[in-house]
Amino acid sequence: MKKKPIRPSSARRSVDRGTPKPAAKKRKLPTAGPRPAPATPRAQVAGGRLPADPQLKIRRLKAQLAAALAEIDVLRASAETDFLLGIANRRGFERELGRALAYIKRYGAGGALIMLDVDRLKPVNDTLGHAAGDVVLKAVTEALLRHVRASDLIGRLGGDEFALLLWNLDETDARAKALGLETAVDELAIRYGDQTIEVGISAGVAMLTPEMDAAEAFAVADQAMYARKAERRAASAAKTSAAKIKR
């Protein structure tokens, strides 16, 4: 009986399935120690650190906000006020007129817009200077303010043009108010140095309706004012002519 030949060890290794894997290394467990502090939210950080007293910080910010809002109100009032006369300028008056028309449209309230133009102011500026004209404008403004209610609004639209916004009155009352304002200014005797200046004012009335916008209201009142100015000019010329005839 023949003996089977003994294969070399290298031959036996060649038929093994794969190369044996090295033994896995043991994982080292982390050593016990203090846990890291949780991250602070950025919203709580001011300048890289938390305020010592958050409530104090809140109160300080509220005070700064209130001061800023108050300053905004002052600047807005300054931007909408005539610097010479202390009444609304065109911008401020137009804003209030727009609000009034919106209120009238929503609630059916009544109101009137009166346009006013100072008569004979240009000759004053030309002969006595603009300083005299400023004195006249101040005197006219004071006269108008004496004859309106606290709820009414007077504005200077520019130059010698004024506007008056009246609430809760009918057309008869509005026209009576316009005539009263004309009379009040006609009766002024304005002193400037050793000069006495007399001027007048022409008033045109537009009744405000829910269908109107600001531009239309100004146009109607402006047209009425120029018609009234022509009427007053004609009446003044006739009066002067009659006086000459009497002489």
Side-chain angles (χ1 to χ4, degrees):
M1 184 174 178
K2 293 182 179 181
K3 294 182 180 180
K4 293 182 179 180
I6 299 174
R7 294 179 180 179
S9 59
S10 58
R12 287 198 305 269
R13 285 196 300 268
S14 63
V15 297
D16 291 342
R17 295 180 178 179
T19 305
K21 296 181 179 179
K25 295 182 178 180
K26 293 183 179 181
R27 295 176 61 184
K28 293 182 178 181
L29 296 176
T31 56
R35 293 184 178 182
T40 303
R42 292 185 178 180
Q44 298 179 7
V45 177
R49 60 182 180 178
L50 285 173
D53 186 351
Q55 293 300 324
L56 179 62
K57 180 71 172 180
I58 291 172
R59 289 194 296 270
R60 187 181 298 117
L61 290 175
K62 285 183 176 180
Q64 292 173 356
L65 177 60
L69 292 175
E71 185 176 359
I72 289 173
D73 290 339
V74 171
L75 292 174
R76 181 182 290 116
S78 175
E80 296 180 351
T81 302
D82 185 272
F83 72 95
L84 176 65
L85 305 177
I87 58 177
N89 59 15
R90 175 178 285 273
R91 178 179 178 180
F93 190 88
E94 287 181 347
R95 182 174 68 86
E96 290 301 319
L97 178 60
R99 292 176 60 183
L101 288 169
Y103 186 89
I104 289 171
K105 182 177 294 186
R106 182 169 183 178
Y107 297 105
L113 172 65
I114 300 180
M115 293 283 287
L116 305 141
D117 189 80
V118 180
D119 302 326
R120 303 186 299 277
L121 181 63
K122 187 177 185 303
V124 173
N125 287 330
D126 292 342
T127 58
L128 299 177
H130 288 277
D134 291 346
V135 171
V136 170
L137 291 173
K138 290 178 180 178
V140 169
T141 301
E142 291 171 1
L144 296 177
L145 289 172
R146 287 195 297 268
H147 290 81
V148 298
R149 302 165 298 180
S151 59
D152 301 329
L153 175 68
I154 295 179
R156 182 188 181 192
L157 303 184
D160 56 359
E161 287 189 344
F162 292 78
L164 175 61
L165 178 61
L166 304 168
W167 283 101
N168 298 324
L169 76 175
D170 57 22
E171 186 172 359
T172 301
D173 292 336
R175 295 193 180 280
K177 174 60 68 175
L179 289 175
L181 295 174
E182 288 181 348
T183 301
V185 176
D186 287 342
E187 293 175 350
L188 289 177
I190 305 166
R191 295 293 300 174
Y192 181 72
D194 58 353
Q195 301 283 332
T196 299
I197 303 173
E198 294 181 356
V199 294
I201 200 165
S202 300
V205 179
M207 299 306 297
L208 301 178
T209 64
E211 297 78 20
M212 275 185 173
D213 59 15
E216 184 180 358
F218 274 124
V220 173
D222 197 53
Q223 184 177 2
M225 182 269 293
Y226 277 107
R228 179 60 178 162
K229 182 177 283 288
E231 182 182 342
R232 281 169 56 86
R233 188 181 294 117
S236 177
K239 184 177 180 180
T240 303
S241 178
K244 288 181 179 179
I245 292 173
K246 286 182 180 180
R247 290 177 186 176

